[in-house]
Each structure stands twice: as C-alpha cells, then as structure tokens.
C-alpha cells in the first residue's frame, strides 16, 4: 500500500497514545498501573524503593545484622539509626520503633517544593528518586509519628498533580522533530508510568519518518507482504 501524500500526513504526538496519566500517589502499593501505562506494577516499584534509607528511633536493643544488601548496625533504644525502608516498616508494624519523617517530607519543605513546581512550569523540582513510594509507605504505616499528616498528604498530592501535568505537556510536545527528551528530576514511578507511552510514540514517529523519506526520494513504498 502506498503511503498518503506528505501533505496529508500528520505527526503522531505521544499525547495521542494516552488520554491521561494515572494519579500515582493514589494507587495502592500492591496494585498495577493501568494497561499500557508502565512495565512494572506499583508493588514492584515499592519493593525496589524498600532499600532506600530512612531514620528510625528504636524502642529496643538489637545487635548488628548482616544482610546481602549490607550491614545493619546495632540498634539502641532512643538512638536514631539509619535503616532500609523495608526494615523500618517491619519494625514499626511490630511497635519496635518510630519512623522519623524525612526532611524533604516535612510540611514546610513540601510547600516550598510545591511553590517551586508552580513557578517553573517546564522544570521538575528535585525530590528523592523514589519519593512517591517512600511517602506512601511512611504515611501508611507511620502517620502517628508525624505532625500534620493530613497536610503532608494533601501537599504531596498537589505536587504529584502538578508534576503529572508537566509530564502530559511534555508528551504532547513530542513530534517527528524530537531528538532528545530531558527527564531531569523525574521520579522512578513517574518514569515507569511514561516509559511504554514514550517509547511507543517515538517508534511510531520514526516509522512515519522512514515512510515519508521513501516518498520524498522516490523509493517504492513497502507492500503489505514486506
């Protein structure tokens, strides 16, 4: 089949591949992203983020532990300790520690981050790579260890909404002239959400570009049989 005349061909923007991006902060930790929205489930992303360090205040003494991921130093009551997120949650569920809210997750810091997101419509504020997964775990299991948990949750959702809108605008701007895409400060869950969308859109645009080049230089277009 011959390609349509060049004048009738339109670029295929990435936005045509998806009507909206999911609200990641509202997804269950053990849930899946909507079909076509990513290559990993939200639970898998949370598992990976479990290795991120947080600070706990132990309520008991525990000798150092050796894990494949590294050594957990001796825990002493009332002495802050750095441990992986998964261990902090495990101990918190058993009433053996308090989880200290990360500095970036304090209400005042989050409001400054939200203000930065709003002031720079084409730039993402710097946040931990796994900020969504960490925040969800801390809010789910340690909201009693923090002040203003409702305020923190509300600001986090505003930040995510703002960043999701930026991603949608970025996807809509992709066309056949796009050579590179800047993803500075985009978080893990956000990247996972747009991975398949972006790759599919760029593949389609490259395919269209090859067809148009054949049409321009007089090369016979491919047939259905190849």
């Amino acid at each position: 089949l011959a390609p349509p005349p060049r004048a009738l061909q339109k670029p295929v923007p990435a936005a045509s591949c998806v009507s909206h991006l999911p609200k990641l902060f509202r997804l269950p930790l053990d849930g899946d992203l909507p079909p076509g929205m990513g290559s990993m489930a939200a639970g898998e992303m949370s598992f990976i983020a479990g290795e991120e360090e947080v600070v706990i205040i132990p309520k008991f003494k525990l000798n150092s532990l050796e894990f494949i991921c590294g050594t957990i130093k001796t825990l002493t009551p009332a002495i802050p300790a750095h441990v992986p997120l998964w261990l902090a949650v495990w101990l918190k569920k058993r009433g053996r520690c308090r989880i200290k809210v990360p500095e970036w997750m304090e209400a005042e810091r989050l409001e400054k981050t939200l203000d930065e997101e709003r002031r720079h419509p084409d730039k993402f504020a710097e946040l931990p790579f796994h900020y969504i997964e960490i925040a969800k775990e801390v809010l789910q299991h340690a909201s009693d260890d923090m002040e203003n948990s409702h305020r923190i949750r509300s600001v986090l959702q505003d930040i995510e909404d703002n960043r999701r809108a930026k991603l949608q605008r970025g996807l809509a701007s992709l066309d056949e002239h796009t050579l590179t895409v800047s993803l500075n400060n985009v978080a893990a869950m956000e990247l996972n959400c747009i991975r398949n969308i972006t790759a599919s859109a760029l593949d389609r645009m490259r395919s269209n570009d090859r067809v148009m080049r054949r049409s321009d230089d007089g090369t016979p277009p491919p047939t259905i049989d190849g």
Side-chain angles (χ1 to χ4, degrees), residues 14-215:
S16 67
C17 299
V18 59
S19 58
H20 69 282
L21 298 179
K23 295 183 177 181
L24 300 174
F25 197 77
R26 296 159 176 78
L27 288 177
L29 285 172
D30 57 351
D32 292 336
L33 292 173
M37 289 293 185
S39 57
M40 299 179 69
E44 293 173 311
M45 298 298 294
S46 178
F47 179 82
I48 295 172
E51 294 299 330
E52 296 292 314
E53 279 197 348
V54 294
V55 177
I56 64 170
I57 311 298
K59 297 181 180 180
F60 72 115
K61 181 175 178 60
L62 179 68
N63 293 329
S64 63
L65 300 172
E66 296 288 341
F67 293 105
I68 294 177
C69 60
T71 301
I72 306 298
K73 296 181 179 179
T74 299
L75 301 182
T76 304
I79 303 299
H82 293 263
V83 300
L85 178 62
W86 68 264
L87 180 58
V89 171
W90 190 85
L91 292 173
K92 174 63 180 177
K93 287 180 177 179
R94 289 155 180 78
R96 309 306 297 272
C97 78
R98 292 190 297 110
I99 297 178
K100 186 177 179 181
V101 179
E103 290 185 4
W104 62 267
M105 199 174 156
E106 294 174 353
E108 292 76 12
R109 289 284 295 273
L110 287 176
E111 288 176 346
K112 289 181 180 179
T113 299
L114 177 59
D115 181 62
E116 183 179 349
E117 293 284 3
R118 288 171 171 168
R119 285 188 291 106
H120 301 284
D122 299 319
K123 180 181 177 182
F124 292 91
E126 186 174 355
L127 283 168
F129 189 53
H130 291 285
Y131 86 93
I132 292 175
E133 301 94 307
I134 295 171
K136 285 173 68 73
E137 288 279 14
V138 173
L139 284 168
Q140 180 176 343
H141 300 290
S143 59
D144 58 326
D145 291 337
M146 65 180 73
E147 297 180 0
N148 303 319
S149 62
H150 295 295
R151 178 183 172 196
I152 289 173
R153 186 185 301 274
S154 176
V155 178
L156 276 167
Q157 290 178 348
D158 288 342
I159 289 173
E160 189 218 336
D161 289 343
N162 195 283
R163 291 168 69 93
R164 187 177 63 257
K166 291 181 184 181
L167 287 172
Q168 288 178 308
R169 289 196 299 271
L171 289 173
S173 69
L174 294 180
D175 58 27
E176 74 275 16
H177 303 297
T178 301
L179 298 178
T180 60
V181 178
S182 176
L183 295 173
N184 294 335
N185 295 330
V186 178
M189 190 75 82
E190 295 162 344
L191 285 173
N192 188 57
C193 176
I194 67 171
R195 188 193 314 274
N196 288 352
I197 301 168
T198 307
S200 174
L202 291 175
D203 284 344
R204 288 171 61 182
M205 286 187 285
R206 280 194 293 266
S207 176
N208 281 1
D209 184 63
R210 284 195 295 270
V211 171
M212 288 187 289
R213 287 177 185 275
R214 290 194 186 99
S215 177

